[in-house]
Amino acid sequence: LTRGGEGGGDLPLGRIDVRADRLQLLGGVFPDTRLQVVPGAAGAASAQVEGPALQGSVLVPAANGATVTGRFQRVQWRSAQPAMGVQTKVAFAADKTAAMTAAENGKTGNKVDDEIDPARIPPLALDIDELRIAEASLGSARLRTRATATGMDVEQFHAQLPGQSIDASGSWSGRGVAAHTRVDARLESEDFGRLLSGFGYAGRLDGGDGEMALEAGWQGGPMQFGLTSLSGSLRMQVHDGRLLEIEPGAGRVLGLLSVAELPRRLTLDFRDFFSKGFAFNQAGGDIRFADGVASSENLRIDGPAARINIRGAANLREETFNQTIEVLPKAGNLLTVAGALAGGPVGAAIGAAANAVLQKPLGQIGAKTYRVTGPWSEPKVEVISREQGRVVDKPLPAGSSVPAG
């Protein structure tokens, strides 16, 4: 601090200039960052931050309720929480148990959000040239908020780079046990596989062009987001992608409803379909989140080799599956074999004609329906009849099973 006045009275702020090896800000961590604050006219102040992950400036006006404006050349946000490596899994489990216990006792589990009253946050107008979250590049970003009597509204969040855009709005109201966050977001991408890799989920999906829309809310502030506390829905439609071969237990995010786990589970019966991953023309459906359960009745993956229908639920707290998966091989794959058995080109022509007339019946010759229950890491997969599959259209409680047919 440098002295800003004379006369021996109060010592007004002249200047702040600090350097932090590790600056923590709203749940994120920014290494080797320098912060400079300089008072301006009539009580205003300007702040400059400079570091490898955070660079820009903010102008804070003196008047209550005035908009705080900021311009950043780069923001590279990483969670202050440790990565889920082998060494941190025990600690993570302990933190998760503590958070659930606190929630059951009516307490919130994030001190950062508990200490912030969103009603005291002034309106924000922030522009970012380069925004990154973890390793995912979101491009240029724009944030506009306004104050409300109980908190704040996010009127606009827009992030865009070539081939990808995110638009979101929402609100944060209340404090402590009364806090609540709501978000409506729409994501469009020409390469969801690349986007997922940036968020730490590489090797699940290759390519994939489409969109996702989330309408959801949860108790607590923005940093208390968690799938187990989420209430709302996710709608997704993706085309021209490929589910990749993955290690057992690795597909938890895409695999909440068995999507990314399918190759490992079904290779025994459909090895040719998944030998190099499962290519699809269309994939999508609706997922509902409520009371710690993610459920869907209309997930579908439609590829050249087969159509896969998934319905059921995943218990996000207990980490268990309770789903029915129907695999319908495409008729063309079966008719290739039928044509060869019938005798060369003539048989192939017969098969092609039959394919045009009887595609649906022939396409279901090799169909199988599976019941998937038990823990995510080691699910129980059993073949059931298609009639049983229709009976269990509605998700059963986690841990229940249907006898194999």
Side-chain angles (χ1 to χ4, degrees), residues 81-359:
Q81 295 291 334
M84 272 293 288
V86 175
Q87 302 298 324
T88 63
K89 286 185 178 180
V90 174
F92 177 83
D95 290 343
K96 179 179 177 182
T97 302
M100 292 177 65
T101 302
E104 291 172 356
N105 293 332
K107 301 177 181 179
T108 54
N110 189 297
K111 292 183 179 180
V112 173
D113 283 349
D114 287 348
E115 295 170 357
I116 298 176
D117 183 357
R120 296 177 62 87
I121 299 177
L124 303 175
L126 306 179
D127 294 285
I128 304 170
D129 293 336
E130 180 188 356
L131 174 62
R132 298 181 68 92
I133 297 179
E135 298 298 329
S137 177
L138 303 185
S140 60
R142 172 187 175 93
L143 174 67
R144 298 292 184 268
T145 74
R146 69 179 182 91
T148 67
T150 59
M152 62 182 294
D153 282 350
V154 177
E155 295 185 319
Q156 179 192 39
F157 173 79
H158 176 74
Q160 186 168 5
L161 77 169
Q164 180 176 293
S165 67
I166 301 174
D167 287 283
S169 61
S171 64
W172 176 15
S173 61
R175 186 177 181 183
V177 295
H180 186 269
T181 302
R182 178 188 61 82
V183 63
D184 295 335
R186 181 185 180 94
L187 168 62
E188 297 181 354
S189 178
E190 295 180 357
D191 192 342
F192 274 103
R194 182 180 62 187
L195 181 63
L196 286 173
S197 296
F199 283 114
Y201 301 104
R204 274 65 163 175
L205 179 67
D206 180 29
D209 183 346
E211 62 183 43
M212 295 185 181
L214 174 68
E215 297 180 4
W218 61 92
Q219 295 298 316
M223 300 309 300
Q224 291 170 295
F225 170 83
L227 290 176
T228 57
S229 61
L230 201 64
S231 295
S233 63
L234 172 67
R235 173 170 294 180
M236 55 184 178
Q237 290 294 332
V238 183
H239 56 87
D240 298 331
R242 185 164 60 98
L243 294 175
L244 302 176
E245 293 181 299
I246 60 174
E247 293 299 321
R252 291 184 176 179
V253 172
L254 283 178
L256 286 178
L257 291 143
S258 300
V259 175
E261 293 274 345
L262 282 170
R264 181 171 68 92
R265 295 175 185 169
L266 305 183
T267 49
L268 181 63
D269 299 298
F270 301 100
R271 187 176 305 275
D272 290 343
F273 294 172
F274 299 105
S275 60
K276 294 182 180 180
F278 181 77
F280 60 85
N281 301 323
Q282 298 284 342
D286 300 283
I287 301 174
R288 296 181 301 278
F289 297 90
D291 300 322
V293 175
S295 60
S296 179
E297 297 301 313
N298 65 351
L299 280 185
R300 172 178 290 189
I301 308 171
D302 195 351
R307 187 173 80 241
I308 300 171
N309 301 320
I310 305 171
R311 57 185 180 273
N315 190 310
L316 305 176
R317 293 194 178 104
E318 299 178 6
E319 299 187 350
T320 57
F321 285 120
N322 190 2
Q323 298 164 348
T324 301
I325 302 175
E326 185 179 39
V327 180
L328 303 172
K330 290 295 180 69
N333 297 288
L334 298 172
L335 289 170
T336 300
V337 177
L341 293 176
V346 174
I350 295 174
N355 183 43
V357 178
L358 302 172
Q359 181 173 0

Side-chain angles (χ1 to χ4, degrees), residues 27-52:
V29 59
F30 303 92
D32 191 20
T33 302
R34 183 183 184 185
L35 169 65
Q36 297 174 290
V37 179
V38 179
S46 62
Q48 178 80 30
V49 288
E50 184 173 358

